[in-house]
Amino acid sequence: MSTVTNDRVERHLKNAVNDMVPNRAEALWHQPVERADETAWYLDGTASRRRTAIKVLRPALAAAAVFVLVFLAYFLVNLRIQATVYLDVNPSVTLSVNSRERVIRAEANNPDGRIVLEDMNLKNTDLDVAVNALLGSMVKHGYLTETQNVVLLSVDCDSEKKSQTLRIELSRQIDQSVDAMVGSARVLDQSVDADEALVTLADHYGISPGKAALILRMQRENPALDLDKLAAMPLYELASRFSGTGVDPEDYANLPDAFPEDPYLDELEDLVDDLEDAQEPHDEEDDPDDDLDDSGDDEDGDGPEDWDPDDDEPEDDN
């Protein structure tokens, strides 16, 4: 009889396990697999889980879409600039307004405009209230008086109908307000299209694009006028200087279009380029002013003198 040892027991157990679990891994690996159909029992519940996830996401997506629409509507109504209103007396102020005619931004175009604005916060103020506040400040600081009572109102708006409506309403309001405050008023109103060239010109002179458009029209029809001096004149002086001469600023303010002809747009761009070049630093040796004597003529006496409105007013057409 054989002796039972541990090695012998382990060998018998190993052989028994091998007999119970045959090595079919290689055969199973190459066995073709058929795709289960949707009726397989182990697929039960997977479609419902997908539908459940969609049900959960659908309200979230709808809420996000509503948020986007609400924000877009808020932006279009409250934050988008629909029109720009320019007020010029000598102080020059720009008001950007939304579709509800509320002020989005108020900016001064020159130092006098900054004085008028002072510490006023006109943001979210109704346009008519903001205009009255500005007129009151102009009266307070002496820019609007019984004799200095001319206001230039300019409206820049993509909608011609809206522009005309604002012009009529604000012009009437300004006339009534200034008349009540100082005793009389004269309001010039116009529509403008403040393109890049016009804005550059306005920034150069410290005036609004509205006043820039007005003096450009005047100078275009009357080449003897000096653009620099026209820009420096307060509105009351601009209106009274040419009284009875046939050059009435009101006639030019009410023109339907500042620049009706394309060739003049090229002239305006050339003018802006000249102004920008003049602002660049240059050597004293190349300064053309060195060749001018005190009278404004060049050394040969052939150079043109600057136009002086006191000495060389336009002749009356009559």
Side-chain angles (χ1 to χ4, degrees):
M1 183 174 178
S2 301
T3 305
V4 179
T5 62
N6 289 336
D7 290 340
R8 186 173 181 182
V9 170
E10 289 178 0
R11 186 167 57 254
H12 279 284
L13 287 175
K14 184 176 180 180
N15 292 334
V17 170
N18 288 335
D19 292 338
M20 293 175 60
V21 184
N23 185 11
R24 300 183 59 193
E26 189 69 21
L28 290 173
W29 182 261
H30 296 287
Q31 184 73 24
V33 178
E34 294 184 3
R35 183 176 180 179
D37 58 26
E38 295 181 356
T39 60
W41 63 267
Y42 48 81
L43 295 178
D44 290 347
T46 55
S48 62
R49 283 196 296 271
R50 255 196 323 268
R51 286 194 293 269
T52 301
I54 293 175
K55 288 180 180 179
V56 172
L57 288 175
R58 189 172 294 165
L61 294 174
V66 170
F67 175 80
V68 171
L69 291 175
V70 170
F71 177 79
L72 182 61
Y74 177 83
F75 171 80
L76 292 175
V77 172
N78 296 282
L79 302 180
R80 180 177 178 269
I81 297 175
Q82 187 186 57
T84 305
V85 176
Y86 305 105
L87 288 179
D88 285 276
V89 175
N90 186 50
S92 180
V93 177
T94 298
L95 299 175
S96 302
V97 299
N98 61 23
S99 60
R100 299 172 60 191
E101 295 185 15
R102 284 182 171 269
V103 176
I104 299 175
R105 184 168 58 249
E107 299 174 291
N109 299 316
N110 58 11
D112 289 339
R114 287 192 287 272
I115 293 174
V116 167
L117 281 174
E118 292 182 322
D119 297 325
M120 287 192 297
N121 182 10
L122 299 178
K123 187 175 182 179
N124 294 325
T125 304
D126 289 337
L127 178 59
D128 56 348
V129 175
V131 168
N132 274 331
L134 291 172
L135 295 175
S137 183
M138 290 181 187
V139 171
K140 172 185 174 182
H141 290 93
Y143 295 111
L144 279 173
T145 66
E146 186 175 359
T147 56
Q148 302 177 14
N149 58 356
V150 183
V151 179
L152 174 63
L153 165 69
S154 308
V155 178
D156 184 2
C157 183
D158 292 338
S159 169
E160 183 177 349
K161 181 178 179 180
K162 181 67 173 179
S163 177
Q164 184 176 5
T165 300
L166 284 176
R167 283 176 54 191
I168 294 173
E169 293 177 352
L170 291 177
S171 179
R172 184 186 302 115
Q173 176 190 338
I174 294 171
D175 183 77
Q176 294 174 351
S177 297
V178 176
D179 184 72
M181 284 188 255
V182 300
S184 62
R186 184 182 178 190
V187 183
L188 313 181
D189 64 272
Q190 62 179 1
S191 295
V192 296
D193 182 10
D195 60 11
E196 184 178 354
L198 192 61
V199 170
T200 300
L201 188 67
D203 290 343
H204 173 77
Y205 285 122
I207 57 179
S208 76
K211 186 178 179 181
L214 174 65
I215 62 175
L216 277 169
R217 296 189 193 112
M218 294 178 63
Q219 198 272 339
R220 181 188 184 191
E221 297 298 328
N222 305 274
L225 302 182
D226 183 88
L227 203 59
D228 293 346
K229 294 185 178 181
L230 292 176
M233 289 183 185
L235 260 296
Y236 80 90
E237 185 177 352
L238 195 64
S240 62
R241 174 75 67 175
F242 307 104
S243 178
T245 65
V247 186
D248 189 343
E250 187 170 358
D251 295 336
Y252 298 92
N254 290 324
L255 290 178
D257 193 345
F259 314 111
E261 298 178 13
D262 290 340
Y264 190 62
L265 290 175
D266 295 333
E267 295 177 19
L268 177 58
E269 292 176 356
D270 292 340
L271 177 60
V272 170
D273 291 339
D274 292 341
L275 291 173
E276 291 176 346
D277 292 341
Q279 290 177 334
E280 295 179 357
H282 54 273
D283 297 332
E284 294 183 0
E285 296 178 358
D286 298 332
D287 193 343
D289 293 338
D290 293 342
D291 297 331
L292 300 178
D293 58 24
D294 295 336
S295 66
D297 293 330
D298 60 16
E299 294 178 351
D300 298 331
D302 297 330
E305 295 184 358
D306 286 340
W307 167 72
D308 188 339
D310 295 324
D311 300 332
D312 187 20
E313 292 185 352
E315 296 180 1
D316 191 342
D317 293 341
N318 299 325

